[in-house]
């Protein structure tokens, strides 16, 4: 009889723990949605949670934003990234705006210059980490951004930004973003090889 009672108590405790964990999980989802929080797991920006702050317009260079992924049909680098699962399809990205319409961008293997100012850690990689795949990049050259175009930048090692897929339409910018709880320096954890 005593073993049966212990079994019933243990079953009720297990049930209560499962219910409590479920409630906490659902509350976490509601909190994330209500607080406009998103998770960044890429090496483009520091790993962690970012808070979305509404309309990004008017845009300013240096601002951090949430961006809709450019379409793979028009960007071979994006198609390549999706093919090799470098990032999930349809998930928005956190990037910085490096240049706006009217600004000049120079793209070289050594990196990116906007109106003559070098963007730190913007070297264009030839291969993925571990040298497994060659990486498609945007053609090297000088670009004068037209109305409705922005150049995106991410300072992390192996960051996937406009150096690989070129300028993107302003309409791809979804919201302003700011770091909420991130791991400083985590965008540099994957060590970059110079080539």
């Amino acid at each position: 009889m005593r073993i049966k009672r212990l079994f019933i108590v243990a079953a009720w405790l297990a049930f209560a723990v499962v219910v409590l964990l479920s409630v906490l999980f659902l509350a976490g989802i509601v909190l994330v949605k209500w607080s406009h929080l998103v998770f960044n797991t890429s090496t483009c920006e520091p790993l962690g949670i970012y808070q979305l702050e509404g309309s990004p317009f008017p845009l300013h260079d240096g601002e951090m934003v949430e961006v809709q992924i450019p379409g793979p049909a028009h960007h071979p680098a994006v198609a390549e990234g999706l093919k090799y699962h470098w990032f999930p399809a349809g998930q928005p990205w956190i990037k910085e705006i490096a240049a706006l319409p009217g600004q000049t961008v120079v793209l070289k293997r050594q990196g990116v210059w906007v109106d003559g100012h070098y963007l730190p850690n913007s070297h264009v990689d030839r291969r993925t980490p571990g040298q497994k795949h060659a990486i498609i990049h945007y053609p090297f050259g000088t670009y004068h951004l037209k109305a409705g175009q922005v150049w995106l930048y991410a300072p992390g090692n192996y960051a996937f930004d406009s150096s690989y897929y070129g300028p993107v339409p302003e309409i791809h910018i979804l919201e302003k973003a700011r770091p909420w709880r991130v791991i400083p320096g985590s965008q540099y954890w994957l060590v970059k090889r110079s080539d």
Side-chain angles (χ1 to χ4, degrees):
M1 216 41 193
R2 183 175 170 92
I3 293 176
K4 185 176 179 181
R5 279 190 197 149
L6 285 175
F7 179 74
I8 290 171
V9 169
W12 275 106
L13 283 174
F15 177 73
V17 167
V18 168
V19 168
L20 179 63
L21 290 175
S22 298
V23 168
L24 290 174
F25 179 74
L26 291 173
I29 290 174
V30 169
L31 176 66
V32 165
K33 292 286 186 189
W34 179 73
S35 301
H36 303 282
L37 300 175
V38 294
F39 297 97
N40 174 52
T41 58
S42 78
T43 59
C44 294
E45 300 288 347
L47 300 174
I49 303 171
Y50 290 76
Q51 185 162 35
L52 303 179
E53 299 184 325
S55 174
F57 299 100
L59 299 174
H60 301 284
D61 58 351
E63 240 174 7
M64 195 169 279
V65 292
E66 182 187 44
V67 184
Q68 183 61 45
I69 183 173
H74 303 294
H75 296 277
V78 174
E80 176 185 53
L82 289 169
K83 175 183 175 184
Y84 292 116
H85 308 288
W86 297 339
F87 45 83
Q91 178 182 326
W93 297 334
I94 301 292
K95 303 286 182 209
E96 295 174 31
I97 296 176
L100 297 165
Q103 292 187 286
T104 300
V105 175
V106 175
L107 177 63
K108 299 179 180 179
R109 171 78 57 210
Q110 298 82 9
V112 178
W113 286 258
V114 175
D115 291 339
H117 300 285
Y118 176 73
L119 300 180
N121 206 35
S122 60
H123 171 87
V124 179
D125 296 303
R126 293 179 188 204
R127 302 196 67 81
T128 59
Q131 308 296 306
K132 199 170 185 181
H133 300 285
I135 302 174
I136 297 172
H137 62 79
Y138 203 63
F140 296 136
T142 300
Y143 300 94
H144 304 285
L145 296 190
K146 300 174 186 163
Q149 291 183 321
V150 294
W151 191 275
L152 300 174
Y153 164 65
N157 289 352
Y158 293 104
F160 194 65
D161 58 19
S162 287
S163 298
Y164 300 93
Y165 46 78
V168 299
E170 285 181 350
I171 59 169
H172 285 245
I173 309 296
L174 303 174
E175 293 193 51
K176 285 183 184 176
R178 71 175 177 81
W180 189 67
R181 298 287 184 270
V182 299
I183 304 170
S186 55
Q187 71 270 37
Y188 306 118
W189 285 354
L190 277 177
V191 178
K192 203 172 189 179
R193 288 180 52 149
S194 59
D195 45 15

